Structure formats: C-alpha cells, structure tokens
Amino acid sequence: ALELKGLAQPLEACEVEWSALPARGGRGTELFVLGALEASRDGQPLALGGRRQRVLLASLLVHADEVVSTDRLIEQVWSGTPPPRALPRLRSRLSRLRGILGPGDTPALVSRPPGYVLRLGPDELDARRFERLARDGRAALARGEAQVAADTLRAALALWRGPAYAEVTDRPFARPEVARLEELRLAALEDRVQADLDLGHHQALVGELEALVVRHPIRERLWGQLMVALYRAGRQAEALGAYDRAREV
C-alpha cells in the first residue's frame, strides 16, 4: 500500500454543489447566469423586472457579442406566440433593459441590423470569469502546480449558485449553452479533484467521490479518481469494489 501523506488542509466531506450568493466584485455592472439571473452595479443588486424582461436579457446573454435579430428575440421572449404589436413591445422592453444596464461602453445594448447586440467586457459575466479560471486551473494542473490548480479551480466552482440560466433552462434557445456550461463545470470539478489527489488528500476525497459517482454515474474519470483515492488510502478491496460497480453502469 502507498503511504498516505498528511493533509495540508481540511477538505469538504462531500461536494458543495452551489454557492449561496453571487460573487460580486463591486465595480461597474456585473451579470450573473450561473444560477438564477441576477445583476449588480458597484456591488448593489439591480432589479431586472418581470419574467419576460428576464427572458429577454437571458436571450441576449446566451448570444452575447452577437447580433440577435428582432424576429428571433420576439420568438424567444414570447415562446413562439407573440402578442399583437410585438415589435413595439419588444423595443419598449429593450429600452428598459438599457436603463437597467446603465451608461458605459460595456455592458451595452446596441442596435445592429437586423436586431441588437449585447456587448460585454471580459469580466462582466460570471460565466466568462468561470471559464477563464477553469482554463487557468487546468493549465496549472498540467504544469504540476497542484496547489495553484486546486485554489484556482475552487474559485471557479464557487461562482456557481445553481444550474446555469436556471430560469430559462426549459427554453430551446438556452439549452445548448446550459449543456455546454454544465459540461465545463463537471470537467473543472474533475480537475479540482485531480489536483487534490496530487496533493495527497486521498482519504478526505473518498466521501466526496462516492457522492459524485452517484450523481454522475457515467463520468468515467470520477470513477477512476474514486478507485485511485481508495487505493492510495490503503483501501484496496474497496477500490476493486468500485471498479466492479463502474463496470455495471
């Protein structure tokens, strides 16, 4: 059996799926989609309005920095059954959204034929911050900098407060982006587990990994990490049992 290194710091007994609040940086306007749709300016929450207003913002955020036609926005906001005078109603909602976002170069809602584009800066959307941190964490892991990787990936995962675009996950326009972000989240979680394994936190990871393979039974990498954690913790028989369970999935 391999010697189990001492733990440098306590770890969670199981995966903490979601953070409670958005990580507000406190500067300018920030938008949050890793959970319920929220926004803040200078650290203070912004009122986004009713459901259709929020769907409109979600649609523009899914396609951030891309022109979305007015026809497409009408289709997405009213789920294919637009009301009479839908275009004036849409423009009224867009005007209110401009007021919510406030002045500045970004975020900025700009008219561009045949529709509108929501321009964003690199750090104004939590999903973009998550992707940058996840990339940085993976790069640190590849360089063998396990502690840097673990810290960076924890910071990335802490940005999640719930399912991405939680209020519109049932809308066809959001489904591909929701699925893409969830795959990135799980990959970042697996990278963070690997960093902790590289740091010698084998025993502390077992409970978390047991819970993870129940939640995500077809993630082969998680099963492999569970087997490694058990083996390195001196629990070889349980590692073989995990192998047998994985084969049955």
Side-chain angles (χ1 to χ4, degrees), residues 2-14 192-193 196-210 225-236 238-239:
L2 298 178
E3 180 182 358
L4 180 61
K5 298 178 182 178
L7 292 180
Q9 58 186 16
L11 295 179
E12 304 90 326
C14 60
R192 195 232 83 213
V193 169
D196 284 334
L197 282 172
D198 292 350
L199 290 167
H201 299 170
H202 315 123
Q203 184 65 51
L205 284 166
V206 170
E208 178 182 5
L209 283 164
E210 287 283 10
Q225 290 170 330
L226 174 59
M227 295 174 214
V228 169
L230 286 165
Y231 181 83
R232 291 179 180 173
R235 299 162 64 175
Q236 287 85 349
E238 291 174 75

Side-chain angles (χ1 to χ4, degrees), residues 66-240:
E66 302 173 9
V67 176
V68 187
S69 72
T70 53
D71 288 345
R72 191 175 184 185
L73 288 171
I74 289 169
E75 168 76 20
Q76 293 175 351
V77 170
W78 282 282
S79 301
T81 55
R85 294 178 51 80
L87 184 55
R89 293 188 182 195
L90 175 69
R91 287 174 175 158
S92 176
R93 293 182 184 280
L94 289 163
S95 178
R96 289 199 295 271
L97 187 54
R98 277 198 181 101
I100 292 168
L101 295 176
D105 294 334
T106 60
L109 183 56
V110 180
S111 176
R112 289 284 184 272
Y116 295 83
V117 57
L118 180 57
R119 294 196 315 228
L120 293 179
D123 289 319
E124 290 169 344
L125 183 65
D126 61 348
R128 291 185 174 182
R129 294 198 299 276
F130 161 73
E131 291 190 60
R132 174 174 51 79
L133 287 167
R135 286 193 302 269
D136 291 348
R138 175 165 285 189
L141 188 61
R143 294 193 302 268
E145 299 173 3
Q147 188 62 63
V148 172
D151 293 343
T152 304
L153 290 161
R154 276 191 172 81
L157 292 164
L159 295 173
W160 286 74
R161 298 166 291 113
Y165 292 92
E167 294 159 289
V168 294
T169 53
D170 60 329
R171 299 293 185 106
F173 76 82
R175 286 174 194 158
E177 180 66 357
V178 169
R180 185 186 76 86
L181 288 169
E182 177 62 9
E183 177 59 32
L184 290 176
R185 184 185 78 87
L186 289 173
L189 177 59
E190 291 169 343
D191 286 342
R192 195 232 83 213
V193 169
Q194 187 60 52
D196 284 334
L197 282 172
D198 292 350
L199 290 167
H201 299 170
H202 315 123
Q203 184 65 51
L205 284 166
V206 170
E208 178 182 5
L209 283 164
E210 287 283 10
L212 284 170
V213 296
V214 171
R215 291 192 193 102
H216 311 289
I218 63 173
R219 305 287 297 192
E220 293 183 4
R221 189 180 180 194
L222 289 174
W223 281 106
Q225 290 170 330
L226 174 59
M227 295 174 214
V228 169
L230 286 165
Y231 181 83
R232 291 179 180 173
R235 299 162 64 175
Q236 287 85 349
E238 291 174 75
L240 289 172

